[in-house]
Structure formats: structure tokens, C-alpha cells
């Protein structure tokens, strides 16, 4: 909608990038707030800071690599067409997008590896970060809306979530009435962040909690179900569709199953012994 927020010294500052930064800042403040209002002293402030930075690095790598990995079959099958593209164009086509689920996978891997190496408890850390992740993602989706990416399917102008993007939108078709999936997802993520924060406070109101990891599992189950349904209203074909489902729907199914399975394990280990 407004891909450029403002200019400074002749350089354009993108709205999408600004909201990504705002999301990161908001996530960090929420992590600090949850740390103060709970008794989850298993995650020290210093450890939380390091894990936060490591997750950002892993998330950026994962967000940039998921789309190229998913396009390997397409590149192989259409190699003759791809090889004729200029190098800069091919690079943009293959690496020119960032994907949230790729960032989530990259961030999780980075967190697990870092926590394992430095003996930081994984599940309490994941619980602390889950509400903040939902909050940061919500800001990111607002950035998507202003930038004009991750747009929805065409709808009637009378639709309550109808929006029309201008000519300078990043990728959304100009002049076509679309459903604002970005704002719908942002609203859902903000609600999810509140729900997880409230539950986190209740679970970690005592120094010892036998349910470590359940907040992260709730995030995985609730967000994956929400995202799976929302994908039916997405109109951007660049996200990749394989068979009956999109890439994000396949990942949503896997995330939902893993979250439910891990929740069952956690709820059965009420004696407090750690799963990880």
C-alpha cells in the first residue's frame, strides 16, 4: 500500500523493513516483560539475549533459503529456460523472496543447536520466545500489507476485508480488489501473542513448572491451523503450490502434528523431568 515510508538523505526507507525492525523491538520488550512477571529463572537474561540474537541470525538464513530449496524441482525441470536468464535475473527469481516458515525453521534449528552446546534449557526458552514470535510476526504482516506482498484472492468491493493496491505495490496486482489476508493474519497473531502471554504467566507463576514446552506447542498448533486455513485465501502464486496444498500448508500440517505429539509427551511427564 505504501512500500516507501520516507526518504532520508536521498535514500528510501521501506515500510516493510521498518515494521520488521519494530516487530523485533516489540518481541524483545515482550521477552523482558515476561521474564520479569514470571518465575522462570531457568532462562537467565544473558542467555535470553544471546538466544534472541542467534534466532534472528538463523531465522534470516532460513527465510532466505526455503524458497530456493523448494524451487529445486522446478529449476531441474525447466533448466533450459532458467539457464537463458541473466545471472542477476536468475538470482532475483531464485533468492528474491523471504518466507516466514523458512525463518521459523531456521530460528528453531539455531536455538536448539545453541542451547544444546551451551546447556541452556530448550523448552523453557521456547516457551519464553513463543509469544514474542507471534507478536513480531504480526508486525511483519502489517509490513507485508503496506508493501503489497502476501496478498489475498480477488473479492467483491463490498467485502469487509477488501483492499485495492496502487501501482507502486511490490507484487500485488494494482487496481484489483483483494482480500487483505495480511491484516487478517496480523490480527490473529496479535490475539495469539496475548493468549500465549497470559498462559505463560499462569504456568510459570511458580519457580518450577512441570509443563515446560507447552506454550511453544500451543503456538505451533494454533498458528499452523490458522495459517493452513488462511492459505485458501492467499492469491500470490509465488508461495508455491504442489498438488492440492501450498508449501505453507504442507509445513503447517507437519508443525501441527509435531506440536500435538510433543504436547502429549509434555503432559504425560508431569513429574517435571525434562523432555530435552
Amino acid at each position: 500500500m505504501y512500500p516507501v515510508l520516507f526518504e532520508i538523505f536521498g535514500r528510501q526507507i521501506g515500510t516493510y523493513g521498518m515494521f520488521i525492525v519494530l516487530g523485533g523491538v516489540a518481541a524483545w520488550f515482550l521477552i523482558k516483560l515476561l521474564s520479569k512477571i514470571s518465575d522462570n529463572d531457568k532462562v537467565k537474561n544473558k542467555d535470553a539475549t544471546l538466544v534472541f540474537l542467534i534466532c534472528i541470525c538463523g531465522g534470516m538464513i532460513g527465510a532466505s533459503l526455503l524458497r530456493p530449496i523448494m524451487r529445486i524441482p522446478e529449476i531441474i525441470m525447466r533448466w533450459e529456460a532458467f539457464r537463458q536468464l541473466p545471472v542477476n535475473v536468475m538470482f532475483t527469481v531464485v533468492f528474491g523472496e523471504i518466507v516466514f516458515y523458512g525463518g521459523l525453521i531456521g530460528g528453531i534449528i539455531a536455538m536448539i543447536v545453541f542451547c544444546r552446546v551451551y546447556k541452556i534449557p530448550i523448552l523453557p526458552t521456547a516457551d519464553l520466545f513463543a509469544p514474542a514470535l507471534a507478536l513480531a510476526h504480526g508486525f511483519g504482516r502489517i509490513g507485508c500489507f503496506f508493501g503489497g506482498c502476501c496478498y489475498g484472492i480477488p473479492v467483491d468491493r463490498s467485502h469487509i476485508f477488501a483492499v485495492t493496491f496502487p501501482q507502486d505495490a511490490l507484487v500485488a496486482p494494482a487496481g484489483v480488489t483483494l482480500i487483505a489476508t495480511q491484516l487478517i493474519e496480523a490480527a490473529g497473531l496479535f490475539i495469539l501473542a496475548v493468549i500465549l502471554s497470559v498462559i505463560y504467566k499462569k504456568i510459570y507463576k511458580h519457580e518450577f513448572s512441570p509443563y515446560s514446552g507447552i506454550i511453544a506447542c500451543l503456538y505451533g498448533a494454533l498458528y499452523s491451523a490458522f495459517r493452513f486455513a488462511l492459505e485458501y485465501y492467499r492469491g500470490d502464486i509465488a508461495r508455491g503450490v504442489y498438488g492440492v496444498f501450498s508449501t505453507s500448508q504442507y509445513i503447517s500440517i507437519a508443525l501441527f502434528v509435531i506440536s500435538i505429539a510433543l504436547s502429549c509427551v509434555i503432559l504425560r511427564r508431569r513429574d517435571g523431568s525434562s523432555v530435552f
Side-chain angles (χ1 to χ4, degrees):
M1 188 66 71
Y2 298 101
V4 178
L5 188 61
F6 57 84
E7 290 189 13
I8 180 170
F9 301 119
R11 185 177 180 84
Q12 293 182 338
I13 305 300
T15 309
Y16 177 77
M18 183 59 67
F19 271 93
I20 292 294
V21 173
L22 289 174
V25 173
W28 175 241
F29 275 108
L30 181 57
I31 289 173
K32 301 297 286 185
L33 177 63
L34 292 177
S35 298
K36 291 181 179 180
I37 65 176
S38 71
D39 291 323
N40 183 5
D41 61 353
K42 292 184 178 181
V43 186
K44 300 179 176 61
N45 287 332
K46 180 180 178 181
D47 293 338
T49 300
L50 292 174
V51 174
F52 182 77
L53 295 175
I54 290 297
C55 286
I56 290 177
C57 294
M60 292 175 63
I61 294 173
S64 301
L65 289 182
L66 181 60
R67 185 69 75 219
I69 292 173
M70 296 304 299
R71 278 187 171 162
I72 290 177
E74 179 186 359
I75 294 173
I76 294 175
M77 290 185 294
R78 300 178 56 197
W79 174 243
E80 291 301 323
F82 272 92
R83 65 182 297 186
Q84 296 177 14
L85 296 174
V87 176
N88 62 324
V89 175
M90 178 181 287
F91 187 86
T92 301
V93 171
V94 176
F95 293 96
E97 300 173 50
I98 59 174
V99 183
F100 168 74
Y101 264 143
L104 178 63
I105 295 170
I108 290 174
I109 293 175
M111 183 194 73
I112 291 176
V113 172
F114 186 81
C115 289
R116 279 290 192 181
V117 171
Y118 291 97
K119 295 180 173 53
I120 301 171
I122 296 176
L123 294 184
T125 302
D127 281 347
L128 179 62
F129 278 53
L133 175 59
L135 180 64
H137 192 188
F139 276 94
R141 283 307 182 205
I142 295 177
C144 291
F145 173 75
F146 283 112
C149 61
C150 305
Y151 55 89
I153 59 176
V155 292
D156 189 82
R157 290 182 179 273
S158 61
H159 195 284
I160 187 173
F161 292 112
V163 61
T164 303
F165 289 91
Q167 292 290 341
D168 59 351
L170 293 177
V171 291
V176 180
T177 306
L178 308 171
I179 184 170
T181 51
Q182 309 97 323
L183 297 183
I184 295 174
E185 186 168 358
L189 286 164
F190 289 144
I191 293 173
L192 180 58
V194 172
I195 293 173
L196 295 179
S197 296
V198 172
I199 298 176
Y200 180 90
K201 182 180 178 182
K202 290 182 178 296
I203 287 182
Y204 286 99
K205 63 183 178 180
H206 302 295
E207 180 178 349
F208 172 76
S209 172
Y211 298 109
S212 294
I214 202 68
I215 304 296
C217 291
L218 279 173
Y219 166 82
L222 294 176
Y223 176 71
S224 60
F226 176 53
R227 178 64 181 271
F228 183 91
L230 191 62
E231 278 291 303
Y232 286 113
Y233 299 93
R234 286 277 291 267
D236 51 322
I237 59 175
R239 71 192 190 282
V241 177
Y242 303 91
V244 295
F245 297 135
S246 68
T247 303
S248 294
Q249 285 179 314
Y250 285 114
I251 298 176
S252 293
I253 293 172
L255 179 59
F256 183 83
V257 172
I258 293 172
S259 299
I260 295 300
L262 185 56
S263 296
C264 294
V265 174
I266 291 171
L267 293 175
R268 287 184 177 183
R269 297 176 73 97
R270 295 183 59 183
D271 58 345
S273 56
S274 177
V275 180
F276 293 104

